[in-house]
Amino acid sequence: MNNPQQDSTDVTRKTLPPDGKVNNAKFKINLFVLFPWFKKICKWRSIQFLLVFPTMVIFLFFLYAGLFGSRVGNRNIIVIFVWILWWFLLITFMVPFASRVWCFVCPFPFFGEWFQRGALIKVRVGKMLGLRNKMFGLNKRWPKFLTNIWLQNILFLAMCTFSAMFLTRPVVSVLILGGLFVAATFLSMIYRQRAFCMYVCPVSGFQGLYAMTSMIELRATDKEVCRKTCKTKNCLTGSEEGWACPWFQYMGKMERNNYCGLCMECVKSCPNDNISLNVRPFCGDTLIKGYDEAWKSFIMLALAMVYSVTLLGPFGTIKDWANVAETGNWKGFSIYAGIIWFTALVGIPFVWYLASRLGRFLSGTNEVSTKDIFIRYSYMLVPLGLLAWIAFSFPLIMINGSYIISIISDPLGWGWDLVGTAHVPWKPIFSQYTAHVQIPLLLLGLYFAIKRGYDISLTLYQNKSRAARSLIPVVVVCTAMILAFLKLFTG
Amino acid sequence: MKSKLMLICVMIVLVCAIVPLFVASSSGGETKEFYIKARQYAYEPAKITVNKGDEVHIKLASLDVIHGFFLEGYDIDAQIEPGVQGFKLRHPSEGREFADVNEIVFTAVHPGKFRFRCSHTCGTMHPFMQGEMIVNPNYPFLAGVGGAVGMLISAMVAMFVSGRKDKNLR
């Protein structure tokens, strides 16, 4: 089972490519070299606080608006700004182009981290738990059996089962977001560093998976410097310059974006100035390490399909099932929830397993196990799923974007007109062209799925022909999935 | 060799995406009538299909609260009150007020899939209340399917060629 806490220190041999190469990027540009002023900003101790604090204030205002503002979703800022604007920006721009940059400014761990550190900006030096920083709270270790992303998988699936409610009801949004906020604070008092972000936060789970595609990565410039020259490992243990990595990462071995929250503490604490912020090609990381990450890709794909059917489809009955709070149709809701959970946890994984078995058979050799084919090829669903989510999210903003303009003037739906835009009528923005945006996105997802799948197959097999034959069934499955999305969106 | 193979793959995808556009045909010019009933949060029928060139007549009714009927791509926005004969219609691009009408009449000139959605806040799920109008031949869909199938074929070709090359080297 994958252990994100050891992501940088324990790459399991079973799923590691023969050449040890887990990063697919052929060229990289170090932004810290290109823009030295940007590195200075990242090293500046106050930067995170200056960005998180406004986000925190806005977030608290959203909670207030959700509790005391209009009960109508499209007249309340929490629904429009979080589930339409933020979501669109997160999935379309932040994750693919800037990895987990959202985690850098996320307000959820604000109070918890403040409590742990006893400081908003400065670093406390001390000796505890093998770290060189002093931290408050119980500082317990996260239970070992939960050091994976299964909890995030289940929580995200559970949360999304009730999506029709929180997407349309401000109070339910408050319950979800406020609940996560309280949980983050509470868990920070008990467990070390960002245990909540690593193992609990449902948003963090899919961000980590899709951050593998991101065109940004934070890495050690020269890993040999970390391994041979660096004796202190400040990135992992902290120093007077920076906090120990809240995500438990050691830069000397960090190979993937999955569990790097881009907090920039390692940039501050590295005594060898050995950290780079690289621009790299899309889908740079290609190593799925365990079943938990593989299942995350299945869950995300299943949810993209379910959302597309429920929210973008014309199917009134399914909407009635999902909207149980209003219809009271618990039987329908049970069917709806059952379909979601079955598709995500059993249906798609089973099809993938069959394709993996068939692939192994077609390869004509037993040199690679079905398990390795199953896990490693599941990466193909990462670009495919991400692009499907982006294709799903574009219509949301094209159709409901005009609500953003009116909500700015009347964020609580109280009849205000702060900047004179409250009465801007609802008007879809070029919504008749959504298909023209969605089709290239889906095809791009398929292209990257096949391309990276082939790259992965070459790391699994010595023989190109065997590698290709092992890939055929999963490529067919990926194409079938894209055809299903095409039918839903444009057919 | 690699760039030649790449070119072949791109050509396969393009051909697969374009050929269906020439093959697909539909006989338009007929009159199609629909009676669409709106309720929280769906239309009945939820999907209507016409051919390019058809004259489309749509009558609307609401079964519960006030609903809207915004047909994307056709500059049509209607407001339907329950228990009232007829409904109100406007063309958003002309910026005029709603006028009382008994039916919407237009010619399906743009092929593809167009959604009609509620434009009058009607309840919690209002932003997701929508139906579909398919105007055949649905070129975007056909091109998309062709492109995906083309990608599958070109992937097979590329893998086959690369596998054979590997075999020859050995």
Side-chain angles (χ1 to χ4, degrees), chain B residues 74-146:
Chain B
Y74 282 85
D75 199 28
I76 285 166
D77 186 16
Q79 211 172 79
I80 327 153
E81 285 183 42
V84 175
Q85 198 85 43
F87 52 92
K88 293 183 167 108
L89 175 70
R90 73 181 186 121
H91 300 288
S93 69
E94 294 171 10
R96 289 194 208 144
E97 292 295 303
F98 282 101
D100 290 327
V101 295
N102 284 320
E103 66 175 3
I104 301 167
V105 183
F106 63 95
T107 305
V109 286
H110 312 295
K113 179 173 181 168
F114 301 90
R115 289 177 176 86
F116 41 90
R117 57 184 87 248
C118 185
S119 52
H120 190 278
T121 304
C122 62
T124 51
M125 288 282 278
H126 154 71
F128 307 111
M129 176 175 167
Q130 59 200 304
E132 295 171 351
M133 179 177 80
I134 310 290
V135 182
N136 283 321
N138 188 349
Y139 290 132
F141 174 63
L142 294 171
V145 170

Side-chain angles (χ1 to χ4, degrees), chain A residues 26 72 74-75 164 167-169 310-317 319-320 322-323 326 396 399-400 403 426 428 431-432 434-436 438-439 443-444 446-447 450 454 462-465 468 471-472 475-476 479 482-483 486-491, chain B residues 2 6 13 39-43 46-47 70 72-73 77 90 92 112-115 117-119 121 123-132 134 138 140-141 143-145 147-149 151-152 155-156 158-160 162-167 170:
Chain A
K26 282 179 185 155
V72 180
N74 54 322
R75 288 187 185 152
L167 285 175
T168 54
R169 289 171 179 78
T310 312
L311 303 179
L312 297 186
F315 315 106
T317 308
K319 287 183 212 289
D320 289 344
N323 190 22
E326 191 171 346
L396 287 185
I399 293 155
N400 300 305
Y403 286 133
W426 170 80
S431 61
Q432 66 270 34
T434 47
H436 301 255
Q438 290 171 313
I439 291 168
L443 294 182
L444 198 65
L446 182 61
Y447 166 77
I450 296 172
Y454 186 58
Q462 304 289 328
N463 180 299
K464 276 188 179 178
S465 175
L471 198 65
I472 290 170
V475 167
V476 171
T479 309
I482 286 298
L483 289 174
L486 281 168
K487 177 69 184 158
L488 283 171
F489 292 151
T490 67
Chain B
K2 205 175 174 184
M6 189 75 178
V13 174
R39 63 148 180 108
Q40 286 177 318
Y41 301 97
Y43 294 97
K47 189 174 183 174
F70 180 95
E72 60 189 26
D77 186 16
R90 73 181 186 121
K113 179 173 181 168
F114 301 90
R115 289 177 176 86
R117 57 184 87 248
C118 185
S119 52
T121 304
T124 51
M125 288 282 278
H126 154 71
F128 307 111
M129 176 175 167
Q130 59 200 304
E132 295 171 351
I134 310 290
N138 188 349
F141 174 63
V145 170
V149 172
M151 225 171 249
L152 176 67
M156 298 295 171
M159 288 190 292
F160 175 75
S162 143
R164 248 182 91 167
K165 200 177 138 196
D166 192 47
K167 222 174 196 175
R170 279 159 196 272

Side-chain angles (χ1 to χ4, degrees), chain A residues 307-334:
Chain A
Y307 272 34
S308 302
V309 170
T310 312
L311 303 179
L312 297 186
F315 315 106
T317 308
I318 296 173
K319 287 183 212 289
D320 289 344
W321 289 352
N323 190 22
V324 64
E326 191 171 346
T327 60
N329 183 355
W330 286 99
K331 192 182 167 191
F333 181 74
S334 305

